[in-house]
């Protein structure tokens, strides 16, 4: 009972802080419409609605971003997740959410040391040959220290911030309650599906708090790249060893996990000695080839998406290092995307439809993604036809697939349609991938990199053995995708897949 009372007091105090920040940034009307003002006043916690004028001149996206920053780690993470929801927010909102930086002052080392001692079974100076007290980086949830093992291996030790979990759990409870209020009381906010967004965010953030999950993600991706030798690269672009007898170093590097010191609140991984992805001048000074790096990075992420269905969902320059031999290391697997076989098949159909200017194929995938929502199918089909037609006759190397996906999702947004969470994450990752490739090489052409991978995946998926393995439904998909069934029959198959097929039998002579 005492614990519940303490949680209630802490939760109310946190709600007061959240509501006060929202009012200060000009969102007092939302606070009032959701009934928070009166609810807090009844508990003796008054809100001052007069504080809103200070930031009223700022655009709404800027005010929201600054409010999220002020509300703390949970809300910064929420803003970063919202930055992936290109299906819900206009570009100016996505750009503003993208400015949210997950950085924070370092936690006092005494607190970090105490927690490490609890988790590792001994103080860090007894376990490691050396341990830097000053962190390499500090974020809202964790900070990273450099250390050295007794065998001389350089490692990084990622430590969860002491005491952060109760704070986040309190925030998540209030976020869910606020999302329920927003959905029931505010028609303006209802179209953003706040309950579903918060539900997905809560699942994602709780996984991110468990560093063992992050390390399992890293090992799974490392296994998927085992034996990835770059044989598909053009001549002169494959990693070469100094002698014929030595194996070539891996093109894609994933840090090794040291499981004996890894758990929920701490993980120890190999230290990557390389050029950070943002330091392009250092890339040039090291004599690395930007064009090769752009191609290799794109092919690696496309392999994760199309072939493996398990991908790094945040491939920005901060999570990439460039290594000698034009090799690439990926770090930080707290946010990953998962695609079922069905989703990958839909992605292949969509991308090939865009590149080959087949509007009907693109439209079919959009319907699959929107589920059972009632919509104006004729209007959506026409808009997609117009959208695809504008690229007709354009050479492959001039297609900007990231921009095309953004524009396509904007059409869904105008129809108030919401992407599945896994596809929203994929679209954002794809856009980030193309942007990073262009930073390396202004002539980077992701369509040319993607097409061979998509076509190869298509052939593999519809080989006779693969069709037999997946059963009769797969044969129907193959006929629709490759042979091209009449439109009515294609609609019939789609209705059956979506569970909306109704059959009426009328036997005349029984009447």
């Amino acid at each position: 009972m005492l614990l519940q009372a303490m949680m209630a007091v802490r939760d109310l105090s946190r709600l007061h802080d959240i509501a006060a920040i929202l009012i200060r940034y000009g969102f007092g009307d939302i606070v009032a419409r959701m009934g928070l003002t009166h609810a807090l006043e009844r508990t003796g916690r008054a809100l001052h609605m007069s504080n809103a004028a200070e930031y009223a001149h700022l655009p709404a996206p800027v005010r929201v971003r600054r409010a999220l920053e002020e509300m703390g780690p949970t809300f910064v993470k929420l803003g970063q997740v919202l930055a992936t929801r290109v299906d819900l927010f206009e570009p100016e909102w996505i750009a503003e959410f993208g400015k949210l930086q997950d950085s924070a002052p370092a936690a006092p080392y005494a607190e970090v040391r105490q927690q490490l001692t609890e988790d590792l079974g001994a103080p860090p100076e007894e376990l490691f040959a050396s341990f830097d007290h000053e962190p390499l980086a500090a974020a809202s949830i964790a900070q990273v220290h450099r250390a050295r093992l007794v065998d001389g291996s350089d490692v990084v030790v990622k430590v969860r911030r002491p005491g952060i979990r109760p704070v986040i759990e309190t925030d998540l409870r209030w976020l869910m309650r606020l999302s329920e209020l927003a959905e029931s009381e505010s028609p303006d906010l209802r179209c953003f599906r706040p309950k579903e967004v918060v539900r997905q965010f809560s699942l994602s953030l709780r996984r991110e708090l468990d560093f063992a999950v992050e390390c399992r993600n890293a090992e799974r991706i490392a296994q998927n790249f085992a034996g990835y030798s770059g044989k598909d690269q053009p001549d002169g672009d494959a990693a070469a060893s100094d002698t014929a007898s030595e194996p070539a170093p891996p093109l894609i590097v994933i840090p090794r996990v040291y499981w004996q010191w890894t758990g929920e609140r701490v993980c120890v991984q190999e230290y990557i000695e390389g050029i950070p992805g943002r330091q392009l001048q250092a890339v040039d000074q090291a004599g690395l080839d930007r064009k090769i790096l752009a191609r290799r990075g794109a092919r690696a992420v496309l392999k994760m998406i199309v072939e493996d269905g398990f991908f790094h969902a945040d491939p920005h320059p901060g999570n990439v290092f460039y290594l000698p031999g034009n090799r690439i290391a990926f770090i930080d697997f707290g946010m990953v995307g998962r695609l079922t076989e069905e989703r990958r098949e839909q992605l292949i159909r969509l991308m090939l439809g865009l590149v080959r200017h087949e509007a009907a194929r693109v439209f079919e995938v959009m319907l699959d993604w929107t589920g059972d929502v009632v919509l104006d199918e004729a209007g959506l089909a026409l808009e997609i036809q117009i959208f695809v037609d504008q690229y007709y006759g354009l050479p492959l190397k001039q297609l900007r697939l990231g921009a095309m996906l953004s524009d396509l999702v904007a059409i869904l947004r105008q129809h108030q349609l919401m992407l599945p969470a896994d596809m929203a994450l994929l679209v954002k990752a794809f856009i980030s991938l193309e942007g990073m490739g262009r930073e390396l090489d202004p002539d980077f052409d992701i369509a040319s990199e993607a097409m061979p991978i998509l076509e190869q995946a298509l052939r593999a998926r519809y080989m006779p053995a693969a069709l037999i393995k997946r059963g009769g439904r797969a044969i129907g998909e193959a006929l629709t995708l490759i042979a091209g069934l009449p439109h009515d029959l294609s609609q019939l198959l789609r209705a059956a897949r979506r569970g909306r097929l109704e059959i009426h039998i009328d036997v005349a002579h029984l009447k």
Side-chain angles (χ1 to χ4, degrees):
M1 184 72 79
L2 178 60
L3 179 60
Q4 289 180 339
M6 291 174 63
M7 287 180 61
V9 170
R10 185 173 60 207
D11 284 6
L12 280 173
S13 177
R14 183 61 174 145
L15 178 62
H16 181 273
D17 294 342
I18 292 170
I21 292 169
L22 289 173
I23 290 170
R24 186 158 62 252
Y25 282 94
F27 301 107
D29 58 331
I30 294 175
V31 172
R33 282 208 306 270
M34 291 193 298
L36 299 183
T37 308
H38 296 306
L40 285 167
E41 286 174 351
R42 285 197 299 271
T43 66
R45 298 171 181 272
L47 289 168
H48 302 288
M49 303 294 287
S50 60
N51 294 341
E54 184 178 357
Y55 301 108
H57 65 286
L58 296 174
V62 177
R63 286 187 284 129
V64 169
R65 189 257 302 166
R66 291 182 60 171
L68 291 172
E69 287 174 335
E70 197 166 321
M71 285 189 280
T74 309
F75 293 86
V76 168
K77 288 289 184 183
L78 175 62
Q80 292 173 339
V81 169
L82 295 180
T84 70
R85 297 313 304 256
V86 291
D87 56 325
L88 295 179
F89 295 95
E90 299 288 344
E92 60 269 24
W93 286 87
I94 297 296
E96 204 61 40
F97 289 141
K99 295 177 183 178
L100 285 164
Q101 297 298 314
D102 190 10
S103 60
Y109 179 68
E111 297 178 12
V112 171
R113 183 182 183 275
Q114 180 182 347
Q115 182 173 291
L116 280 173
T117 302
E118 293 173 5
D119 291 339
L120 300 177
E125 57 268 20
E126 295 182 14
L127 294 174
F128 300 99
S130 65
F131 187 94
D132 290 349
H133 293 189
E134 291 296 320
L136 289 172
S140 55
I141 287 179
Q143 57 192 54
V144 178
H145 294 258
R146 187 169 179 179
R148 178 168 294 161
L149 303 181
V150 283
D151 67 1
S153 301
D154 288 324
V155 296
V156 293
V157 181
K158 185 174 181 179
V159 187
R160 198 170 78 189
R161 273 185 180 273
I164 193 66
R165 180 137 211 165
V167 175
I168 287 177
E169 291 297 339
T170 298
D171 286 347
L172 291 178
R173 283 194 294 273
W174 274 121
L175 268 175
M176 183 52 70
R177 294 174 194 173
L178 292 173
S179 71
E180 292 167 353
L181 281 170
E183 201 148 303
S184 61
E185 302 295 332
S186 177
D188 295 338
L189 297 177
R190 198 172 299 145
C191 63
F192 294 110
R193 319 283 173 85
K195 283 173 58 178
E196 177 60 21
V197 170
V198 169
R199 188 186 73 81
Q200 292 286 344
F201 169 65
S202 299
L203 291 172
S204 173
L205 185 53
R206 287 188 176 111
R207 283 195 297 265
E208 194 172 343
L209 284 172
D210 187 343
F211 293 165
V213 172
E214 175 183 339
C215 288
R216 285 194 291 272
N217 293 339
E219 286 210 331
R220 179 173 171 181
I221 288 179
Q223 289 169 4
N224 289 338
F225 277 104
Y228 182 77
S229 60
K231 291 181 180 178
D232 58 331
Q233 312 288 331
D235 291 340
D237 188 11
S241 58
D242 292 333
T243 66
S245 60
E246 293 181 3
L251 285 182
I252 304 301
V253 175
I254 310 297
R256 173 188 172 188
V257 177
Y258 293 87
W259 281 105
Q260 62 267 47
W261 298 299
T262 292
E264 180 184 338
R265 299 192 302 184
V266 60
C267 67
V268 178
Q269 299 181 54
E270 172 189 4
Y271 176 77
I272 298 296
E273 189 76 56
I275 300 172
R278 292 191 175 93
Q279 297 181 14
L280 296 184
Q281 186 175 357
V283 170
D284 296 332
Q285 291 171 349
L288 301 182
D289 190 317
R290 286 201 196 186
K291 292 182 181 294
I292 292 176
L293 291 172
R295 289 202 302 273
R296 284 186 177 168
R299 290 172 182 173
V301 176
L302 287 167
K303 170 190 158 32
M304 293 186 226
I305 292 170
V306 177
E307 182 179 328
D308 305 329
F310 190 81
F311 61 95
H312 196 308
D314 199 16
H316 64 71
N319 289 333
V320 172
F321 287 86
Y322 301 123
L323 312 179
N326 295 312
R327 299 178 301 125
I328 299 174
F330 291 96
I331 65 168
D332 193 355
F333 296 91
M335 185 183 291
V336 295
R338 296 168 175 81
L339 295 178
T340 63
E341 201 168 304
E342 180 181 9
R343 284 280 192 253
R344 279 179 274 167
E345 183 268 331
Q346 291 169 347
L347 173 67
I348 292 168
R349 284 194 288 146
L350 173 73
M351 302 296 281
L352 291 176
L354 288 173
V355 171
R356 295 174 178 172
H357 316 296
E358 297 172 352
R361 182 175 290 178
V362 175
F363 173 66
E364 296 288 331
V365 176
M366 291 293 100
L367 289 186
D368 284 338
W369 284 0
T370 54
D372 294 331
V373 178
V374 177
L375 69 149
D376 175 14
E377 290 195 13
L380 180 61
L382 179 60
E383 286 194 53
I384 290 176
Q385 181 70 61
I386 294 171
F387 169 77
V388 172
D389 283 349
Q390 68 182 318
Y391 296 101
Y392 189 81
L394 203 64
L396 190 65
K397 65 181 181 180
Q398 293 184 26
L399 292 179
R400 303 290 180 261
L401 286 181
M404 292 174 74
L405 284 173
S406 294
D407 293 343
L408 189 61
V409 171
I411 294 174
L412 291 184
R413 191 168 58 243
Q414 290 160 11
H415 283 257
Q416 295 190 338
L417 299 173
M418 185 177 179
L419 283 176
D422 54 350
M423 299 313 297
L425 199 61
L426 169 66
V427 169
K428 177 62 177 177
F430 203 95
I431 293 169
S432 299
L433 172 64
E434 186 172 38
M436 191 167 68
R438 290 195 164 277
E439 285 183 6
L440 282 165
D441 174 17
D443 297 324
F444 175 66
D445 170 16
I446 197 168
S448 296
E449 301 300 333
M451 279 299 289
I453 295 172
L454 294 171
E455 289 173 342
Q456 181 180 354
L458 181 69
R459 287 193 296 270
R461 183 174 178 80
Y462 293 110
M463 292 290 287
L467 290 173
I468 292 170
K469 182 179 179 181
R470 298 205 310 277
R473 173 183 165 180
I475 296 173
E477 291 175 355
L479 290 172
T480 304
L481 183 60
I482 299 173
L485 290 176
H487 179 67
D488 289 345
L489 184 53
S490 177
Q491 282 188 317
L492 185 67
L493 286 172
R494 188 179 70 252
R497 288 200 303 268
R498 298 168 74 191
R500 294 172 56 182
L501 178 63
E502 296 182 3
I503 299 176
H504 300 275
I505 301 175
D506 188 4
V507 184
H509 69 268
L510 289 182
K511 292 182 179 179

